[in-house]
Amino acid sequence: MKVLVAVDLQNDFINGALGTAEAAAMLPRAERKIRSFEGLVLFTRDTHTEDYLNTREGKALPVPHCIRGSHGWQLAARLLPYASEVIDKPTFGSTALGERLRALNEDAPIESITLIGLCTDICVISNALLLRAYLPEVPILVDAACCAGVTPESHRTALAAMRACQIIRWLRPPAGAPAAPCPSAPSYSPHTAGFVPPGRGPLFPLHNPPKETPHERTHPCQLQPPPPGASLHHHPPLYRADQRLR
């Protein structure tokens, strides 16, 4: 069995109190992913109470959001037809999600768990690492194209952090390319922030790497933004010979 975890695809993170243009642009891709997924789909829902500002999180991020029962707390309307199982969580990572999937894995082994959603650098990475601890022998994947971070920079930083913890980035094959085998011993690819199955092509240095995207805005979640132009790369990017750069 395969599992897809859709993390916090809620109005407040899309076009509400903590919404971003990247989240709104990503939503149609997430919907297509959920609609076409062959397996179990679980949703998480960030859930706070009216006294949010008195909590530890509220004092660090004084922006009320995802208050239970509010419009911002609700999942995006276009996703409601697929939300047959929703797990409410009071903080970034959900132990209830970990326990649910560990019990499921004991009854019927889980082949893989894929995460999508918001925000890459807060709740997606928190749940990816939590599931990595609950189910160390189950491959944990993240579909970067169906995630968005507080900023594009923090999105990329979170993908790199997950890569270091052996969380695999789900790769989209080039248009028209035949499906390639996916054996159990993938190779490592710094550029894709994940792993490349053997047989998908060698790695070559990228001679003309893309320019860094400068820091353009400060989101409420980003209390200490990086200085303008700060580079987040510590090595030359690489690309796969059989995959065009996106």
Side-chain angles (χ1 to χ4, degrees):
M1 178 196 306
K2 294 182 179 180
V3 176
L4 177 67
V5 178
V7 178
D8 298 0
L9 290 168
Q10 296 161 262
N11 293 320
D12 265 346
F13 293 129
I14 298 168
N15 51 23
L18 294 173
T20 65
E22 291 81 12
M26 173 276 296
L27 187 60
R29 295 192 295 272
E31 181 188 6
R32 289 194 296 271
K33 177 90 173 183
I34 293 166
R35 184 175 63 242
S36 63
F37 188 76
E38 297 181 357
L40 175 65
V41 179
L42 302 176
F43 285 77
T44 70
R45 187 165 51 192
D46 198 40
T47 302
H48 299 296
T49 56
E50 295 291 344
D51 67 344
Y52 168 76
L53 292 177
N54 295 323
T55 67
R56 184 173 183 271
E57 179 182 332
K59 292 175 181 177
L61 175 62
V63 180
H65 63 279
C66 298
I67 305 301
R68 183 184 292 275
S70 68
H71 173 73
W73 174 71
Q74 302 290 344
L75 297 173
R78 64 195 300 168
L79 302 180
L80 292 177
Y82 315 107
S84 58
E85 184 172 352
V86 182
I87 298 174
D88 290 342
K89 59 182 186 62
T91 187
F92 304 150
S94 173
T95 55
L97 174 66
E99 292 166 1
R100 169 78 171 92
L101 291 180
R102 183 165 61 186
L104 183 65
N105 187 60
E106 292 172 355
D107 292 337
I110 297 174
E111 181 180 341
S112 65
I113 301 170
T114 301
L115 291 94
I116 63 173
L118 303 167
C119 295
T120 319
D121 46 322
I122 302 177
C123 291
V124 172
I125 189 172
S126 294
N127 284 287
L129 293 173
L130 183 148
L131 292 176
R132 182 77 175 81
Y134 267 88
L135 297 162
E137 298 303 318
V138 176
I140 310 296
L141 303 88
V142 61
D143 187 342
C146 294
C147 296
V150 169
T151 68
E153 294 84 358
S154 62
H155 169 76
R156 291 193 297 270
T157 300
L159 291 174
M162 287 187 278
R163 175 192 70 201
C165 295
Q166 300 178 1
I167 293 166
I168 305 166
R169 177 168 170 180
W170 191 87
L171 301 175
R172 299 176 183 273
C182 186
S184 59
S187 58
Y188 175 65
S189 169
H191 177 65
T192 57
F195 294 82
V196 181
R200 292 297 291 273
L203 297 173
F204 292 93
L206 179 63
H207 297 294
N208 295 300
K211 294 181 179 180
E212 296 293 332
T213 301
H215 179 70
E216 296 177 350
R217 67 176 187 273
T218 299
H219 187 278
C221 288
Q222 193 175 34
L223 300 179
Q224 295 181 336
S231 174
L232 299 177
H233 290 291
H234 300 287
H235 48 64
L238 304 178
Y239 71 94
R240 294 209 324 259
D242 66 337
Q243 183 178 44
R244 292 176 298 177
L245 292 172
R246 299 190 298 277

